């Protein structure tokens, strides 16, 4: 039995119906793309019970065992309500000198443990919430600064990775007692950057590590001086150290110009610390001075001296040759004169001695 063939017009029509059905189902089925998360923007500021009070950060000096209450304001600039996590942690300075607080997975051991705040706060769209927090200094708190920070955090998840975004401010806590401001200079090195123009002096670049040896946050200012072997050069330049928290360190540099670098060069850095926050009475300010000696070979000047010596030797050689040549010419001229006089005498028949 033969199978009847389906006309090509029916086959084309059936194929078009299948395409239309598939297209209709595609429009009904939900898309598999991930929904776009709304953008969350917010700010956290020091506050009083009525709202932000204009402070950049919180500064408090407490006696051991003292408890105080402060406030923070969380401002939600987004178009939807947001639940923020609140957290306090120890503060530190990054390699670039910016203040930061320990990440949530790293436990605090200092100022961050002094602060107690509620875990979360819900802030409506385009709204601000004021949240109180307490600061309690331990009974055995050591005198000086105990930096901390407090922040509001939003955690977003994308696939298997959770991203924690936080905004906050620093809380500079100081336990009462004697404030000691001290900076130690470690690993001082000096490098003479010579000028290859022998008639122009070079400069000395000083590199060192500034370490906060005191118990309060400080900056540092002073002078860098350079003296050469013969005491002919006594140049100086500014030395500046940016913010240092207690126990912290950071690299620093100083430049001193007008240095010829003839042999031994002695470089000295002197720093005087300045307390960053407040003016505590009876504070101990401890300046520091460190000296290093280096040797610098004045290659441009040695090369110039060699050129001068070579030119002098060449000039003396030329002069000597000219003198010898002139002496030889004069001697030949005298000989020629004697010979000519003798010929003249012989021709006249007279004796040269008569």
């Amino acid at each position: 039995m033969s199978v009847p063939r389906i006309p090509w017009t029916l086959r084309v029509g059936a194929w078009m119906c299948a395409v239309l059905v598939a297209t209709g189902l595609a429009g009904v089925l939900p898309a598999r793309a991930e929904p776009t998360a709304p953008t969350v923007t917010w700010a956290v500021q020091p506050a009083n019970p009525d709202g932000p009070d204009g402070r950049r950060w919180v500064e408090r000096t407490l006696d051991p065992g003292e408890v105080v209450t402060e406030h923070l304001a969380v401002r939600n600039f987004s178009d939807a309500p947001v639940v923020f996590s609140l957290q306090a942690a120890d503060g530190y300075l990054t390699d670039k000198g910016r203040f930061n607080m320990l990440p949530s997975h790293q436990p605090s051991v200092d100022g961050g443990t002094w602060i107690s705040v509620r875990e979360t706060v819900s802030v409506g769209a385009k709204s601000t919430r004021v949240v109180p927090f307490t600061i309690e200094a331990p009974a055995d708190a050591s005198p000086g600064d105990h930096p901390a920070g407090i922040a509001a955090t939003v955690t977003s998840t994308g696939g298997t990775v959770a991203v924690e975004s936080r905004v906050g401010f620093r809380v500079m806590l100081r336990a009462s007692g004697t404030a000691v401001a001290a900076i130690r200079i470690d690993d001082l090195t000096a490098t003479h950057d010579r000028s290859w123009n022998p008639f122009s002096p070079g400069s000395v670049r000083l590199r060192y590590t500034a370490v906060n040896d005191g118990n309060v946050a400080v900056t540092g200012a002073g002078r860098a001086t350079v003296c050469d072997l013969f005491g002919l050069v006594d140049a100086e330049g500014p030395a500046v150290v940016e913010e240092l928290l207690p126990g912290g360190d950071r690299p620093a540099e100083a430049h001193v110009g007008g240095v010829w670098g003839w042999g031994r060069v002695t470089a000295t850095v002197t720093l005087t610390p300045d307390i960053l926050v407040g003016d505590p009475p009876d504070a101990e300010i401890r300046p520091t001075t460190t000296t290093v000696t280096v040797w610098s070979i004045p290659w441009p000047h040695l090369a110039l001296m060699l050129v001068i010596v070579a030119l002098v030797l060449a000039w003396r050689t030329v002069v000597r040759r000219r003198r010898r040549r002139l002496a030889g010419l004069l001697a030949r001229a005298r000989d020629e004169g004697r010979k000519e006089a003798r010929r003249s005498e012989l021709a006249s028949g007279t004796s040269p001695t008569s």
Side-chain angles (χ1 to χ4, degrees), residues 176-264:
S176 58
T178 302
V180 179
I183 298 177
R184 186 177 77 246
I185 299 174
D186 286 348
D187 304 323
L188 175 63
T189 62
T191 304
H192 181 231
D193 296 327
R194 64 177 58 85
S195 170
W196 289 102
N197 179 359
F199 302 102
S200 176
S203 63
V204 170
R205 182 171 66 253
L206 300 168
R207 291 190 176 98
Y208 56 95
T209 300
V211 183
N212 188 340
D213 252 0
N215 59 14
V216 292
V218 296
T219 58
R223 307 295 295 177
T225 60
V226 174
C227 182
D228 70 356
L229 176 63
F230 305 103
L232 301 177
V233 175
D234 190 2
E236 66 176 26
V240 178
V241 175
E242 298 180 358
E243 179 182 1
L244 283 172
L245 297 179
D249 63 80
R250 68 187 309 159
E253 286 191 9
H255 295 265
V256 179
V259 181
W260 293 97
W262 293 332
R264 189 181 68 182

Side-chain angles (χ1 to χ4, degrees), residues 41 75-76 92 99 108 111 114 134 155 158 168 174 198 218 226 234 237 278 281 286 288 295 315 318 320 327 342 350:
T41 55
R75 306 176 64 185
N76 179 14
Y92 68 97
F99 187 87
S108 297
W114 297 18
T134 59
T155 302
R174 178 171 295 169
V218 296
V226 174
D234 190 2
R286 301 176 183 174
T288 184
W295 287 85
W315 177 77
V318 171
R320 287 177 180 176
R342 188 173 300 158
T350 60

